[in-house]
Amino acid sequence: MGPDVPLLNDYKQEFFLKRFPQTLLGGPRFKLGYCAPPYVYVNQIILFLMPWVLGGVGTLLYQLGVMKDYYTAALSGGLMFVTALILQMTNLYAKQKTVTVERMQIQNTLTDEDEFEFSSCVGSETVKFIIPGKKYIINTVFHSLLAGVLCGLGTWYLLPNRITLLYSNIGGTVMIFVFGWVTICIGEYSLIINTATETATFQALDTYEITALMRPFYIFVFIAVDLAHRFAVNTPILEQTNQILHIIFLFLPFLWAMGILPPLDALFLWGMEQLLEFGLGGSPMSSNTKLLVMFLISAGTAIASYFIPSSLGVILFMTGFGFILSLNLSEIGFAFKHTMISHLASSKSKNMHRGLRIQFGWREFIFYLTVLTFALIEASLLHQFAGFSSFSKASPQAIASYILIILLIIMWILREIQRVYLFGVFRNPFYPKDVRTVTVFMEKQRRLMKVGVVRRILLTLVSPFAMIAFLSLDRSLQNLHSVSVCIGFTRIFRMVWQNTENALLDIVVVSIAQMLVFNPDLWWNRSLDTGIRLLLVGILRDRVLQFVSKLQFAIAILLTSWTEKKQRRKSTATLITLNVVFFPILLTFIAISALLSSPLLPLFTLPVFLIGFPRPVRSWPGPVGTTACVCSDTVYYQQMVPSLALALQSALAAGSLGLSLPGSHYLCRFQDRLMWILVLEKGFTYCGVNIKGLELQETSCHAAEAHRVDEIFEMAFEHQEHTRILSPNHHFGHILTPCTVLPVRLYSDARNVLSGIIDSHENLKHLKDDFIKVLVWMLVQYCYKKSKTWESPGNANINKKRSFPENQHSSAVERSRPLREEDSFSVDTIEDWTDDSDIFDLEPSGRMKDRKEPGQLGTTPKVRLSIPGSVETQTQEVPQEMSAEDKLYRAVVLGLPAVDKGKQQEVLPQVEFSCSYSELLSIPEEWRTAPVPSSKVNEMRQRFPEEWYHFILSQLDFFHLKEKPSNLLEDLMKDKALKDLYIHGVLSCCFGLFGLDNTVPAPSHVFRAYTGGIPWSVGLDWLTSKPELFQLALKAFRYTFKLMVDKASLGPVENFKELVNYLEEYENDWYIGLVSDLEWQQAVLQEKPYLFSLGHDPNMGIYTGRVLTLQELLVQVGKLNDEAVRGQWANLSWELLYATNDDEERYSIQAHPVLLRNLTVQAADPPLGYPVYSSELLHLPLF
């Protein structure tokens, strides 16, 4: 696909051009795409201007001095409320009057394209088109009331006298009055007439009609500031703010249309997250419920600290709650609940709640309790005895500052030295070179592992106590009942534990500034206490890092739009020129985006940058890990995620993945697997992550980006050219920066072409003989395992003695048809015909069921012989109510030879064992009833591997038998009847899979037999009617094929012992089957050491073998540019939810080797993205 693929196809362009004006004006539909009567447009214009008319009445009365301002507002609001109710009642009446069924509307996604038939100016179709109405009655009343309040307050807000007092300018007053009312009309129309589809869309569905409240909410915010200014006395800052907001008020329609202002759900989640992180020292949460609960608890803690009467109590309260709230409280609560259930409930309940999730026990409890105790003791002692001295170069607090500076430098060095690139630019000379195998890597990285342990101790234990010492010695804590102290110090005392690295950096910056600026009259020292300084520094640090990251993202898009030839469009030169000319404006957009902590949105991923609306760090509204596009590849990620989580746990604790904060993204690569990791929560000694698995079936776009990822990782970890010290990163500027490799227990995937093996005549010639051996081994093992369910051989003998006499007469009754030896097809399943037979008579479903020959009248019914180990089956009668057509299908079997009615039938031979214990190993009777000629039985006797059969029997131990003769194995080997059973069983399977001819099977037949897709034959029909035997035969054939491959690769089998070892290894350590089998997926999840599958490429005409091997291998990990991911996800959300551009070949999903655009889209949460696996929140302990 070329770079000039349309951004929107023709249909979507037309759709977008209809939708965007509607969004801009708040809901009126003036561009319909079809002819509509003029009154449709006139009605919409009248309704759009209705709030202005009603507000204008009140404004006129006020300006004429008839009414006071608040009476004016009440009058306009009341009129608007009544008007809104009338409009909604009109819609309800029109719906009841209409005969057709009304489709429930969730959003206006489809109504833009519906064509209405208008009958009159106020007809029901016209009313329903202009006023779609509300889904819920309560919203009908609530929105109408809100519309009245909005109109009343809007009238008050835009009174000309009031505006003139603010600006003292008639021209400005007119401009604000006119365009201000346009803004209010847009908000009113969206609220009460028809809600426009917003460009800022967070949820895919608006279930509770919250979107209609978005625009009125922002209008109320502006009005609230004006009301505060009205009733506050002598507040210059409020007056200046009010003046600025009156001007911004005119641009609200533009901000709504550009999607800069967030929808209400995203706004409140983002606001809580920002306040929790920067105002209360917490961490973003993985779910909305956890975020709300943690925000309320944290806010309550800050408020409670205000009322504590002593400074020592404040210190202890802040230290204790800061530590407790930084722990993984959800997991601690889960562990406590599990413990209570384990003590109170039954063992069933205990097993039900066990799992990997339980990570909090007595060891962790004692550790946390000890740390908390020492922290409280340290804080109280230092504050009590040394907390009253002012800051100087020799004060105790200054000494603590020096220690913190040293700790910061040491931890920063220890973190960077564990990564493959220093600062992402130069290769780390201490990092192991040419990392390919786990053993070599672990040997070379032993020193770096020690470095990681040292850093973990410094980060977990030393740094928090050093920071508590610095904070406890601060004089600001003497100011009790201070809002700034409560907010600032509650935040930092928690952040010490919640986000230790950033807290350490903030405190070091503040302490250095305090050392350099001793002037007490400076604003920094005079007006701010230490807690507020730390808060401001923390916000500044976060915003600066976001600005730098967003700037890197923007520059990457600008440069690659020209340097990457496949990204170079006709408009690229123009766009780059505009960005260069208006670069200050671009920097302003980036700065505003960083200030709001909102994504920088590249429109269609082109160098056209917009400010996305603020949203939570996790970017998506739904709970984590609940949705994924599950397919057959999902199991590979399910198997590897527990091991990957353990490896990530060690890497995050050691710091080899760099500074990992909530919102950090990592990409892992191994062979064809790509894992996307998102950090969601972080606290003291824990980290919450979500792991997604991307598709394995690579498209061209996926393959292009995956190839670039492989190049980056190979350059960093495998190339030998890093001989120079500090060799540069050749892929600097890419959104992926390699970090390290992790040893993970997973499946390696090897695919081999089997040409020369499966088509070798020599190999195929031995295939049947090997199959017979494998099948004999499998049948013996099957019968032996089944014999373990018997209580004792005595019971078997009793059953045998009881059943044989009773069945002697019936066995003479039951006959078997003689077969012509030259026949290779079975006629056993066809009812014999006579001249007077009705072809529509039902065919007996059992073999020779209730057949009565002359001389057999009055005989007893047939009773089947009960053979130990056999599967007893009951024949089901055919229903009497069967159509003639069904009878014909049962009676007429095409292509089978006729049966000679006059031939006398052979009696089924009665099995008499020479050894009483042979019953334990006898195969079921129905397994040896295959209709094969006697000549083939004799031929099989000659081919039967008797020595192999005896060797297998000699390997049996019969430990499960309490009493057994010493010569048991010898008696079993001498029992010819038992051997004949196995000869018949083996012959039956060979007859089903290969037929009765002795030709060498072709490779195509081998492949079909392996996959179970052999063309129909009488033998196969008989075999498949015995499902258990068929599965054994299929399994034996697959083992045989794998044995053939191993013999061709590793050499011939020397003796029987080696062959048994092969087969036992297949049985215990291998799954040999097909990738499409359900058992294959189960084997992956059960972590079978090896899996083998046979495949065929019809295009190339080759057969391939696929081997999965479970082993510990190195997975490469790189850190992604967080803002690049957030920006592309913001564009994806806008493009799919607003522009509905779901074209699979759209420009914004095409491969981009630098931005990894296709992979980033895949990693988004469904329904916008399509990861094949998404884990639930994984809690990783980091100590």
Side-chain angles (χ1 to χ4, degrees):
M1 187 68 65
D4 284 307
V5 60
L7 302 176
L8 288 170
N9 58 38
D10 295 337
Y11 171 72
K12 293 299 181 183
Q13 286 179 17
E14 182 183 356
F15 175 78
F16 178 78
L17 292 176
K18 288 190 297 183
R19 170 170 280 190
F20 187 73
Q22 181 185 353
T23 302
L24 183 63
L25 296 175
R29 285 178 276 185
F30 295 131
K31 185 176 176 60
L32 302 180
Y34 55 90
C35 293
Y39 55 75
V40 172
Y41 304 102
V42 174
N43 287 350
Q44 291 185 83
I45 293 173
I46 293 173
L47 291 176
F48 180 81
L49 297 176
M50 183 65 68
W52 197 346
V53 173
L54 299 178
V57 172
T59 302
L60 183 61
L61 293 174
Y62 171 74
Q63 291 298 118
L64 295 175
V66 178
M67 301 179 69
K68 292 185 178 180
D69 54 357
Y70 43 86
Y71 288 127
T72 297
L75 175 64
S76 299
L79 291 174
M80 188 66 221
F81 172 63
V82 173
T83 304
L85 274 181
I86 292 174
L87 291 173
Q88 292 300 313
M89 293 303 109
T90 304
N91 172 264
L92 292 175
Y93 175 75
K95 285 183 177 179
Q96 292 177 356
K97 186 178 178 181
T98 307
V99 180
T100 56
V101 178
E102 178 69 19
R103 175 175 49 83
M104 181 180 293
Q105 292 182 352
I106 297 175
Q107 267 192 330
N108 294 25
T109 303
L110 299 177
T111 54
D112 294 345
E113 304 170 89
D114 292 343
E115 187 168 345
F116 286 75
E117 294 182 2
F118 304 103
S119 56
S120 65
C121 181
V122 290
S124 58
E125 287 296 329
T126 306
V127 172
K128 289 193 299 178
F129 172 76
I130 297 175
I131 312 171
K134 307 295 180 182
K135 274 197 303 184
Y136 306 107
I137 298 296
I138 187 172
N139 281 343
T140 301
V141 179
F142 175 64
H143 290 184
S144 300
L145 179 62
L146 202 62
V149 175
L150 180 63
C151 185
L153 292 178
T155 303
W156 204 5
Y157 184 71
L158 294 176
L159 287 174
N161 286 357
R162 177 67 179 171
I163 301 173
T164 304
L165 286 175
L166 281 175
Y167 297 100
S168 303
N169 187 301
I170 298 299
T173 300
V174 173
M175 292 286 292
I176 292 176
F177 179 79
V178 173
F179 290 101
W181 268 110
V182 171
T183 300
I184 291 178
C185 288
I186 289 173
E188 289 279 12
Y189 199 99
S190 178
L191 176 64
I192 202 64
I193 308 297
N194 181 25
T195 304
T197 304
E198 299 289 352
T199 50
T201 303
F202 189 56
Q203 301 272 3
L205 298 177
D206 183 24
T207 308
Y208 302 105
E209 299 176 310
I210 299 175
T211 305
L213 305 176
M214 172 185 163
R215 301 191 183 202
F217 171 81
Y218 286 107
I219 294 175
F220 279 130
V221 170
F222 282 75
I223 294 175
V225 176
D226 182 68
L227 292 176
H229 178 222
R230 283 174 184 268
F231 297 108
V233 182
N234 297 326
T235 50
I237 188 169
L238 266 180
E239 182 177 358
Q240 294 173 3
T241 304
N242 198 16
Q243 290 174 346
I244 295 171
L245 289 182
H246 266 78
I247 297 173
I248 298 177
F249 188 78
L250 310 182
F251 294 94
L252 275 180
F254 173 78
L255 297 177
W256 289 325
M258 299 307 294
I260 297 175
L261 297 178
L264 296 186
D265 48 358
L267 175 67
F268 286 111
L269 292 174
W270 169 82
M272 281 194 296
E273 190 176 87
Q274 293 293 305
L275 287 174
L276 178 61
E277 184 175 1
F278 299 104
L280 300 169
S283 163
M285 292 285 121
S286 61
S287 68
N288 300 337
T289 305
K290 290 176 68 174
L291 178 63
L292 178 61
V293 171
M294 185 58 72
F295 175 77
L296 294 176
I297 295 174
S298 303
T301 302
I303 295 171
S305 65
Y306 179 83
F307 299 99
I308 298 176
S310 69
S311 60
L312 180 61
V314 170
I315 289 270
L316 294 175
F317 182 82
M318 290 179 175
T319 304
F321 270 91
F323 176 80
I324 292 172
L325 293 178
S326 69
L327 300 177
N328 192 1
L329 296 180
S330 61
E331 284 303 289
I332 293 175
F334 179 83
F336 177 76
K337 178 182 177 182
H338 162 74
T339 304
M340 297 301 295
I341 291 176
S342 299
H343 283 90
L344 300 177
S346 63
S347 59
K348 180 180 178 181
S349 297
K350 293 180 188 177
N351 295 331
M352 185 173 59
H353 289 276
R354 285 177 187 162
L356 295 174
R357 189 180 172 186
I358 307 297
Q359 297 168 348
F360 187 83
W362 286 107
R363 183 175 68 90
E364 291 79 7
F365 176 76
I366 294 173
F367 171 73
Y368 290 145
L369 186 61
T370 304
V371 172
L372 177 60
T373 304
F374 277 102
L376 293 174
I377 292 172
E378 179 198 21
S380 59
L381 291 178
L382 287 175
H383 178 75
Q384 190 70 20
F385 297 106
F388 298 96
S389 60
S390 60
F391 188 86
S392 63
K393 291 185 178 180
S395 64
Q397 193 175 21
I399 295 173
S401 301
Y402 302 143
I403 296 174
L404 291 174
I405 293 171
I406 295 172
L407 276 174
L408 178 65
I409 295 173
I410 293 175
M411 288 181 56
W412 177 77
I413 293 173
L414 295 182
R415 185 184 70 201
E416 288 297 321
I417 206 173
Q418 295 182 76
R419 303 175 67 188
V420 66
Y421 285 118
L422 300 175
F423 316 110
V425 181
F426 302 105
R427 196 179 195 282
N428 181 4
F430 300 99
Y431 197 85
K433 295 181 175 63
D434 193 26
V435 179
R436 295 176 187 270
T437 61
V438 175
T439 54
V440 174
F441 172 74
M442 297 303 290
E443 182 67 28
K444 292 182 177 181
Q445 209 197 21
R446 189 168 298 172
R447 288 179 299 175
L448 292 182
M449 292 175 66
K450 296 176 182 177
V451 169
V453 172
V454 172
R455 184 184 177 278
R456 187 185 308 183
I457 294 172
L458 292 177
L459 179 67
T460 307
L461 298 176
V462 179
S463 296
F465 285 99
M467 286 187 282
I468 287 177
F470 175 86
L471 297 172
S472 302
L473 295 170
D474 195 87
R475 290 190 63 186
S476 302
L477 288 169
Q478 303 298 329
N479 302 325
L480 296 175
H481 310 299
S482 169
V483 175
S484 63
V485 169
C486 290
I487 294 175
F489 278 92
T490 300
R491 169 189 174 275
I492 193 61
F493 268 107
R494 179 175 178 182
M495 193 175 172
V496 161
W497 306 101
Q498 188 93 47
N499 194 346
T500 308
E501 291 184 80
N502 282 341
L504 181 60
L505 177 61
D506 295 348
I507 293 177
V508 166
V509 170
V510 169
S511 61
I512 290 176
Q514 210 163 356
M515 291 176 188
L516 298 177
V517 182
F518 282 102
N519 185 2
D521 297 327
L522 195 66
W523 167 80
W524 177 264
N525 289 329
R526 185 183 71 253
S527 304
L528 303 177
D529 59 60
T530 304
I532 298 300
R533 292 175 201 159
L534 288 168
L535 188 148
L536 294 176
V537 168
I539 295 175
L540 183 64
R541 166 189 45 78
D542 180 77
R543 283 356 187 211
V544 168
L545 291 177
Q546 282 197 40
F547 179 83
V548 173
S549 186
K550 286 175 167 61
L551 185 60
Q552 290 177 344
F553 174 46
I555 292 175
I557 291 181
L558 276 170
L559 294 178
T560 56
S561 64
W562 184 261
T563 56
E564 295 285 337
K565 291 184 179 180
K566 291 187 177 181
Q567 308 302 322
R568 196 180 300 170
R569 299 173 60 89
K570 294 177 181 178
S571 59
T572 298
T574 304
L575 292 176
I576 293 176
T577 304
L578 290 174
N579 277 279
V580 172
V581 172
F582 297 102
F583 192 70
I585 297 178
L586 174 60
L587 287 179
T588 304
F589 276 20
I590 295 174
I592 295 173
S593 178
L595 189 64
L596 295 175
S597 187
S598 62
L600 182 68
L601 192 155
L603 198 62
F604 298 106
T605 64
L606 292 171
V608 179
F609 299 101
L610 302 176
I611 301 171
F613 66 86
R615 64 199 79 193
V617 163
R618 64 181 186 272
S619 294
W620 307 112
V624 174
T626 55
T627 54
C629 302
V630 178
C631 65
S632 58
D633 297 333
T634 303
V635 292
Y636 302 112
Y637 291 110
Q638 289 177 327
Q639 178 274 325
M640 70 177 293
V641 159
S643 179
L644 178 61
L646 290 175
L648 282 173
Q649 174 182 327
S650 302
L652 288 169
S656 56
L657 297 183
L659 183 62
S660 57
L661 300 172
S664 296
H665 295 262
Y666 296 92
L667 186 67
C668 302
R669 177 70 168 168
F670 176 77
Q671 290 185 349
D672 57 352
R673 271 153 278 181
L674 281 162
M675 291 69 71
W676 193 285
I677 301 169
L678 170 60
V679 179
L680 294 165
E681 302 177 11
K682 196 167 185 186
F684 183 63
T685 66
Y686 89 96
C687 183
V689 302
N690 166 243
I691 301 178
K692 294 176 182 173
L694 306 188
E695 62 181 359
L696 303 185
Q697 302 297 328
E698 296 184 348
T699 60
S700 58
C701 296
H702 179 108
E705 294 185 356
H707 180 67
R708 178 61 64 90
V709 170
D710 290 336
E711 283 183 3
I712 294 172
F713 282 133
E714 286 174 9
M715 185 69 69
F717 299 116
E718 297 180 10
H719 283 190
Q720 292 281 5
E721 58 189 44
H722 304 297
T723 54
R724 291 186 303 158
I725 298 176
L726 299 179
S727 59
N729 177 9
H730 296 286
H731 295 279
F732 179 72
H734 196 280
I735 72 164
L736 177 66
T737 303
C739 291
T740 187
V741 291
L742 302 176
V744 178
R745 184 174 173 80
L746 45 64
Y747 282 101
S748 63
D749 194 347
R751 302 168 192 250
N752 303 310
V753 176
L754 298 181
S755 300
I757 297 178
I758 191 173
D759 52 2
S760 170
H761 182 76
E762 190 68 24
N763 293 336
L764 295 175
K765 189 170 64 174
H766 296 296
L767 184 68
K768 279 189 178 180
D769 293 335
D770 288 341
F771 173 69
I772 293 172
K773 291 181 180 179
V774 174
L775 186 59
V776 169
W777 178 83
M778 198 159 284
L779 289 174
V780 171
Q781 293 296 318
Y782 171 84
C783 296
Y784 176 68
K785 289 176 182 177
K786 203 165 186 180
S787 71
K788 292 182 179 180
T789 61
W790 286 62
E791 295 180 4
S792 66
N795 293 340
N797 293 334
I798 293 173
N799 292 333
K800 181 182 69 172
K801 290 176 182 178
R802 287 179 180 174
S803 60
F804 280 1
E806 296 174 2
N807 290 310
Q808 284 177 356
H809 183 69
S810 61
S811 61
V813 175
E814 187 173 4
R815 307 282 184 177
S816 63
R817 299 184 182 90
L819 292 178
R820 292 172 295 174
E821 294 185 0
E822 63 272 13
D823 287 339
S824 60
F825 293 93
S826 171
V827 293
D828 187 48
T829 58
I830 303 174
E831 177 65 10
D832 297 0
W833 285 22
T834 58
D835 293 337
D836 57 348
S837 295
D838 184 358
I839 64 170
F840 296 108
D841 285 342
L842 295 183
E843 176 193 13
S845 57
R847 181 178 183 273
M848 304 293 293
K849 183 176 182 352
D850 295 335
R851 292 282 306 275
K852 292 190 177 183
E853 301 290 338
Q856 292 181 357
L857 298 176
T859 58
T860 58
K862 183 195 72 144
V863 180
R864 285 190 177 275
L865 180 65
S866 177
I867 298 179
S870 65
V871 179
E872 298 294 336
T873 58
Q874 293 182 351
T875 303
Q876 297 181 353
E877 295 293 336
V878 180
Q880 297 297 324
E881 297 80 19
M882 181 176 287
S883 66
E885 184 181 4
D886 292 335
K887 293 180 181 180
L888 177 62
Y889 286 154
R890 291 182 57 87
V892 180
V893 182
L894 301 179
L896 299 181
V899 179
D900 190 349
K901 179 75 176 178
K903 286 189 177 182
Q904 197 69 17
Q905 298 179 340
E906 297 176 355
V907 179
L908 185 69
Q910 178 179 329
V911 179
E912 295 184 1
F913 298 115
S914 62
C915 174
S916 60
Y917 287 87
S918 296
E919 254 183 272
L920 299 176
L921 297 180
S922 64
I923 64 175
E925 177 189 358
E926 61 270 17
W927 288 10
R928 46 192 176 88
T929 58
V932 292
S934 57
S935 62
K936 293 297 180 181
V937 177
N938 296 329
E939 184 180 330
M940 178 56 69
R941 282 196 180 96
Q942 297 175 2
R943 294 181 59 187
F944 188 76
E946 190 168 347
E947 294 181 2
W948 167 248
Y949 169 72
H950 290 163
F951 179 80
I952 294 173
L953 293 181
S954 68
Q955 302 297 307
L956 304 179
D957 47 42
F958 290 100
F959 286 149
H960 57 283
L961 299 181
K962 297 179 181 178
E963 297 178 0
K964 59 181 179 180
S966 58
N967 58 345
L968 171 61
L969 296 179
E970 289 79 0
D971 293 343
L972 290 175
M973 294 179 193
K974 295 176 182 178
D975 195 334
K976 294 184 178 180
L978 181 62
K979 186 179 75 171
D980 285 343
L981 285 182
Y982 282 96
I983 290 174
H984 278 280
V986 170
L987 180 59
S988 301
C989 295
C990 290
F991 175 47
L993 293 181
F994 298 106
L996 294 177
D997 53 354
N998 294 324
T999 59
V1000 176
S1004 59
H1005 184 87
V1006 172
F1007 176 73
R1008 289 181 176 181
Y1010 184 95
T1011 58
I1014 307 173
W1016 185 90
S1017 66
V1018 175
L1020 180 64
D1021 188 57
W1022 176 89
L1023 185 59
T1024 52
S1025 66
K1026 316 291 185 294
E1028 198 169 7
L1029 179 61
F1030 177 71
Q1031 290 301 321
L1032 278 177
L1034 183 62
K1035 186 177 180 181
F1037 185 84
R1038 290 174 173 177
Y1039 282 16
T1040 306
F1041 182 83
K1042 182 65 176 64
L1043 180 65
M1044 181 183 77
V1045 173
D1046 288 346
K1047 285 165 62 177
S1049 305
L1050 306 176
V1053 178
E1054 300 293 338
N1055 48 49
F1056 289 158
K1057 183 64 177 175
E1058 186 178 353
L1059 181 55
V1060 168
N1061 291 340
Y1062 268 115
L1063 298 179
E1064 288 179 349
E1065 183 184 355
Y1066 295 159
E1067 185 71 21
N1068 299 325
D1069 298 338
W1070 286 78
Y1071 175 77
I1072 302 173
L1074 296 174
V1075 177
S1076 57
D1077 293 341
L1078 177 63
E1079 292 81 2
W1080 178 281
Q1081 300 185 20
Q1082 293 173 349
V1084 171
L1085 295 178
Q1086 294 167 3
E1087 296 196 337
K1088 277 274 188 181
Y1090 307 97
L1091 290 89
F1092 176 83
S1093 174
L1094 176 64
H1096 180 238
D1097 187 346
N1099 297 324
M1100 300 182 65
I1102 58 174
Y1103 296 94
T1104 57
R1106 183 180 182 186
V1107 178
L1108 299 186
T1109 305
L1110 183 65
Q1111 54 188 323
E1112 195 172 45
L1113 296 167
L1114 296 176
V1115 173
Q1116 299 154 334
V1117 185
K1119 195 174 192 300
L1120 294 161
N1121 184 323
D1122 307 334
E1123 295 303 325
V1125 175
R1126 293 184 67 200
Q1128 292 183 75
W1129 280 356
N1131 172 72
L1132 176 68
S1133 178
W1134 176 87
E1135 199 173 344
L1136 267 67
L1137 296 182
Y1138 181 75
T1140 64
N1141 187 25
D1142 55 355
D1143 187 355
E1144 293 182 354
E1145 299 296 332
R1146 63 185 183 274
Y1147 173 78
S1148 61
I1149 203 175
Q1150 299 300 313
H1152 195 303
V1154 176
L1155 297 181
L1156 302 182
R1157 189 165 52 193
N1158 186 270
L1159 298 181
T1160 305
V1161 168
Q1162 285 186 51
D1165 279 9
L1168 305 186
Y1170 45 98
V1172 300
Y1173 172 78
S1174 182
S1175 72
E1176 60 181 5
L1177 179 67
L1178 301 175
H1179 300 270
L1180 308 181
L1182 303 182
F1183 66 91

